[in-house]
Amino acid sequence: MILYLASGSPRRVELLRQIAVPFSMLSAPDIDETPLPQEPPLEYVCRMAREKALAGAAGAGDLPDGAVLGADTAVVLGDEILGKPADEQQALAMLKALNGAEHQVMSALALLHRDHMAVRYSITRVQFRQLSEAQLQAYVATGEGADKAGGYGIQGLGAALVASLTGSYSGVVGLPLEQVVALLDQVGIRYWQPN
């Protein structure tokens, strides 16, 4: 059976390669990622993962004996979802809000196999260091967080923003591998495969 990844994220590609699971890329799904009114953050990321898997499968047409993986990740402060910043000013505002505080990173996965959809998620608590405004501005100036939820990337330069985390590091990057392998085991897709 073939795994299809419905995502354009290079970070998700790297994480799947890390566990040596053969997969094929589908075009990144073009869906509306606006949260619904009063939608709790966990429900939002789970819905997004399902919609991405469905859109990926629909866009690919006939996928014989394959499973489509959709994923979504949100940085959540209180009940507020911090998406990708629109510009440097918004990125700095997000980092100021996260500065010295604990937030959650919610990552959801949806695996569509035939007519069955399985959904899993992880919630990781991330504690930011207390940094000066000059330090936050210096990070924003690197441009690393421009395309990332919450305006930072823990797998890169943004690692220096973080004091600690409790939960899934790979979930913060964008694909909780402990949940991925559980889904792959359910449908018989093997990982740790030689190239």
Side-chain angles (χ1 to χ4, degrees):
M1 187 183 312
I2 300 170
L3 177 66
Y4 295 93
L5 177 62
S7 174
S9 165
R11 294 165 294 282
R12 291 188 177 121
V13 168
E14 288 172 16
L15 286 166
L16 286 179
R17 287 184 179 149
Q18 181 180 326
I19 59 169
V21 59
F23 67 96
S24 293
M25 296 280 295
L26 299 176
S27 298
D30 183 22
I31 61 171
D32 180 2
E33 296 192 36
T34 307
L36 300 174
Q38 306 303 313
E39 184 175 30
L42 184 57
E43 288 181 22
Y44 167 76
V45 292
C46 290
R47 179 175 63 86
M48 286 294 97
R50 287 192 303 271
E51 288 187 15
K52 289 176 181 181
L54 289 167
D62 185 31
L63 299 173
D65 202 28
V68 178
L69 181 65
D72 194 64
T73 300
V75 172
V76 180
L77 183 61
D79 290 326
E80 183 183 358
I81 296 171
L82 303 181
K84 297 175 183 177
D87 53 31
E88 286 190 358
Q89 184 178 355
Q90 189 177 40
L92 183 59
M94 286 181 184
L95 293 177
K96 283 181 178 179
L98 296 171
N99 193 27
E102 183 179 276
H103 63 278
Q104 295 181 320
V105 178
M106 299 179 183
S107 283
L109 305 169
L111 189 70
L112 177 62
H113 178 236
R114 298 190 177 108
D115 291 331
H116 178 72
M117 177 87 72
V119 177
R120 287 185 171 253
Y121 64 86
S122 75
I123 300 174
T124 302
R125 295 192 331 260
V126 180
Q127 175 69 48
F128 259 36
R129 295 171 53 218
Q130 184 69 49
L131 300 164
S132 69
E133 184 163 345
Q135 288 173 306
L136 297 176
Q137 288 174 340
Y139 177 72
V140 170
T142 69
E144 180 183 73
D147 66 339
K148 295 174 181 66
Y152 77 97
I154 196 171
Q155 71 281 4
L157 301 170
L161 300 168
V162 176
S164 64
L165 67 81
T166 305
S168 171
Y169 172 83
S170 60
V172 178
V173 178
L175 199 68
L177 291 178
E178 64 281 6
Q179 301 298 341
V180 171
V181 296
L183 288 172
L184 297 179
D185 286 343
Q186 283 182 3
V187 297
I189 293 178
R190 294 172 59 205
Y191 36 94
W192 300 332
Q193 295 297 299
N195 291 338

